[in-house]
């Protein structure tokens, strides 16, 4: 069991997998990566370093252990906040069901789970159970990089400086050197949609291509 600590999140712990390899929701109906995943931050920089990849590769097999759920519950004791998947997604229904059990058994921990698995009907019942828990914020990610989202469906989207969505919470981390700095909006169930500023060279190229279509 490899739990990560992300400096951007003020040291809040997370559990992750490798990006794209465990992200079936990243593939669009045309068989290509959706725009938001084409510029994925978790496929560049430190995420491609062996020391970063190793725990994510380990976690892909480790969650299948019978004792994994119990070990995760123990690891989260005393944690006020937890993030699932700063990279990757709950690609397997068995994994989703185990995560649900962990959420139920850690009521004093607020869980934030970004995902694209709501695209697949077989995950819907588990996701609905997660959303019903008072300590869980499930955010179904929009595929857009221009701020588009479906109200009542998506809980997050990405926007470029050319197009700013209205009536949504705008992540301010990039005005704070990329840090949450005490903000816990992503875990706040009362905030329906959070929009994240597009950043990085790879994402800039995706936005340029999307805008030219």
């Amino acid at each position: 069991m490899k739990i990560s600590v992300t400096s951007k999140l003020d040291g809040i712990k997370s559990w992750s997998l490798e990006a794209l390899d465990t992200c079936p929701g990243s593939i669009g109906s045309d068989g290509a990566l959706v725009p938001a995943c084409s510029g994925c931050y978790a496929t560049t920089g430190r995420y491609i370093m062996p020391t970063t990849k190793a725990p994510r590769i380990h976690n892909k097999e480790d969650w299948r252990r019978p004792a994994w759920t119990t070990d995760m519950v123990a690891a989260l004791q005393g944690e006020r906040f937890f993030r699932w998947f700063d990279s990757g997604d709950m690609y397997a229904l068995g994994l989703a069901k185990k995560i649900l059990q962990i959420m139920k058994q850690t009521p004093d921990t607020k869980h934030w789970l970004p995902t694209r698995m709501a695209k697949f009907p077989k995950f819907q019942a588990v996701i609905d159970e997660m959303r019903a828990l008072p300590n869980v914020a499930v955010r179904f990610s929009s595929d857009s990089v221009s701020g588009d989202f479906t109200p009542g469906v998506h809980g997050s989207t990405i926007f470029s400086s050319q197009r700013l969505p209205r009536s949504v919470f705008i992540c301010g981390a990039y005005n704070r050197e990329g840090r949450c700095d005490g903000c816990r909006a992503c875990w706040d169930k009362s905030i329906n949609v959070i929009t994240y500023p597009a950043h990085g060279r790879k994402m800039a190229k995706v936005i340029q291509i999307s805008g030219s279509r």
Side-chain angles (χ1 to χ4, degrees):
M1 180 183 65
K2 303 292 184 181
I3 290 179
S4 305
V5 177
T6 307
S7 58
K8 174 187 181 294
L9 299 181
D10 304 333
I12 290 173
K13 295 178 179 179
S14 61
W15 186 89
S16 302
L17 298 168
E18 279 203 287
L20 303 185
D21 182 50
T22 60
C23 302
S26 67
I27 306 299
S29 58
D30 60 355
L33 288 172
V34 300
C37 296
S38 297
C40 179
Y41 64 85
T43 59
T44 61
R46 67 180 181 83
Y47 282 91
I48 63 175
M49 297 175 62
T51 53
T52 303
K53 290 170 67 71
R56 287 159 173 76
I57 294 170
H58 170 85
N59 285 342
K60 188 178 180 183
E61 299 302 322
D62 189 55
W63 73 263
R64 301 178 187 276
R65 287 189 298 114
W68 181 78
T69 301
T70 302
D71 290 347
M72 284 294 296
V73 170
L76 294 186
Q77 295 306 306
E79 300 294 334
R80 294 182 59 200
F81 298 92
F82 188 75
R83 174 179 178 171
W84 293 95
F85 305 111
D86 75 77
S87 62
D89 206 341
M90 52 179 187
Y91 68 102
L93 187 58
L95 173 58
K97 289 179 177 179
K98 284 191 172 184
I99 291 174
L100 173 61
Q101 292 307 310
I102 294 165
M103 291 170 169
K104 287 181 176 180
Q105 294 177 50
T106 54
D108 295 328
T109 301
K110 289 190 175 182
H111 297 258
W112 163 31
L113 191 152
T115 186
R116 284 189 165 78
M117 299 311 294
K119 293 179 177 181
F120 306 102
K122 70 177 182 179
F123 284 85
Q124 198 59 57
V126 177
I127 291 174
D128 287 345
E129 280 197 66
M130 290 177 173
R131 282 178 164 166
L133 296 173
N135 62 319
V136 177
V138 177
R139 297 196 178 278
F140 180 31
S141 306
S142 166
D143 293 336
S144 173
V145 294
S146 56
D148 296 322
F149 65 93
T150 302
V153 176
H154 295 118
S156 67
T157 187
I158 296 170
F159 78 96
S160 63
S161 59
Q162 290 77 27
R163 187 174 180 185
L164 181 64
R166 296 180 180 180
S167 303
V168 297
F169 183 94
I170 301 171
C171 173
Y174 299 98
N175 294 322
R176 301 187 293 266
E177 298 181 349
R179 299 181 65 90
C180 295
D181 198 21
C183 177
R184 299 293 181 262
C186 294
W187 289 266
D188 189 341
K189 292 171 68 75
S190 70
I191 298 176
N192 293 325
V193 181
I194 296 178
T195 184
Y196 303 100
H199 62 286
R201 294 180 180 178
K202 190 172 184 179
M203 183 60 76
K205 185 177 293 186
V206 171
I207 291 171
Q208 183 179 18
I209 294 172
S210 297
S212 66
R213 289 173 180 170

